[in-house]
Each structure stands twice: as C-alpha cells, then as structure tokens.
Amino acid sequence: MPARRTSVPEARRRVLAVLHEWGAAEQVRDDAELVVSELFTNAVRHTDSEKVDCELTVLGAFLRVEVTDQGRGGSTPHVQPGSVDKECGRGLFLVGALSESWGVRPDPTGRGRTVWADLAYGSPTAH
C-alpha cells in the first residue's frame, strides 16, 4: 500500500476482513487491528518509504503480524521511556502489551525493515 496516513485505515480494514474470513475470535481481531494501526503508522511516519506491506501468518497458536517498510528510519523501533503517560509515542508500548513477543529484522532486500508481533491466536490452523 502507499506509505500515506490515509492508507492506515485501509490496512486495518483489510486485516479485519482476512481475520473475519479465517474465523478469528473478536479479541484477536481487535488486537490485530490496533497492532497493525500502530506498526503501519510508524512505518509511514518514521521512514522514507513509498509503500508499506502488511502480512498475516498463523504460526501454531500465534498470529504473526508483519509490517515491512522500504526506507530506513532514524533508529531501530523501540519503546519510548515514559511512553505510557504520553499522548504520542505509545505505539510500541501498546504493541508489546498486546503481543506475546515482537521484534524488528532487516528486510531481505537490504532496504527497509520488518516489524513483527505475535498475538495469541488459539488452536493451530493452516492459512
């Protein structure tokens, strides 16, 4: 999707549609919607990307949400100290609170990175 703020609601809509099709529980859909919103927004705001990709994968009992940008930001994404009390900068704190784990890895193309989060999903299902 284009790396624009206006793409964030569309990314959320697409994620919710896929999860609804997969029969995911409401809590999973809600958590994934928030995680995608935060990760996609960060990719748009903090990188020089022209497009941002989002991928969902079921890995055993987890739903992996991955958001990949094309550009390099100023630093590796991390939780901001004191971000709980700030209006801005809470995104990765929320991602950490909603996910079992999350992290960052370089994109295989050598440009950009993927930020991922594993959410509790339930019983293993092939998708």
Side-chain angles (χ1 to χ4, degrees), residues 86-98:
K86 296 179 183 175
E87 188 166 322
C88 189
R90 292 185 298 210
L92 291 177
F93 175 81
L94 293 172
V95 170
L98 293 173

Side-chain angles (χ1 to χ4, degrees), residues 9-10 21 39 41 53 65 67 70-71 91 95 109 111 116 125:
E10 178 63 15
E21 182 180 308
L39 297 183
T41 298
D53 294 322
V65 176
V67 174
Q70 297 175 308
V95 170
T109 65
R111 186 166 192 274
W116 57 269
T125 307

Side-chain angles (χ1 to χ4, degrees), residues 39 65 77 95 99 101-105 114-118:
L39 297 183
V65 176
V95 170
S99 64
S101 60
W102 71 276
V104 183
R105 70 174 183 275
T114 298
V115 182
W116 57 269
D118 289 341

Side-chain angles (χ1 to χ4, degrees), residues 63-97:
L63 172 69
R64 175 157 290 180
V65 176
E66 295 183 324
V67 174
T68 303
D69 62 61
Q70 297 175 308
R72 298 254 181 237
S75 64
T76 300
H78 62 281
V79 175
Q80 297 291 324
S83 59
V84 175
D85 301 323
K86 296 179 183 175
E87 188 166 322
C88 189
R90 292 185 298 210
L92 291 177
F93 175 81
L94 293 172
V95 170

Side-chain angles (χ1 to χ4, degrees), residues 3-103:
R4 292 187 225 128
R5 287 184 305 197
T6 55
S7 296
V8 176
E10 178 63 15
R12 285 192 309 252
R13 186 194 68 71
R14 290 180 184 188
V15 163
L16 288 175
V18 167
L19 291 175
H20 184 69
E21 182 180 308
W22 289 356
E26 183 177 0
Q27 186 65 52
V28 172
R29 294 191 314 258
D30 291 347
D31 291 351
E33 179 182 25
L34 182 54
V35 167
V36 165
S37 183
E38 296 298 339
L39 297 183
F40 204 98
T41 298
N42 283 350
V44 169
R45 290 180 70 192
H46 302 295
T47 72
D48 62 354
S49 301
E50 292 182 22
K51 74 174 202 165
V52 176
D53 294 322
C54 180
E55 186 173 331
L56 303 176
T57 309
V58 176
L59 302 170
F62 298 100
L63 172 69
R64 175 157 290 180
V65 176
E66 295 183 324
V67 174
T68 303
D69 62 61
Q70 297 175 308
R72 298 254 181 237
S75 64
T76 300
H78 62 281
V79 175
Q80 297 291 324
S83 59
V84 175
D85 301 323
K86 296 179 183 175
E87 188 166 322
C88 189
R90 292 185 298 210
L92 291 177
F93 175 81
L94 293 172
V95 170
L98 293 173
S99 64
E100 297 294 320
S101 60
W102 71 276

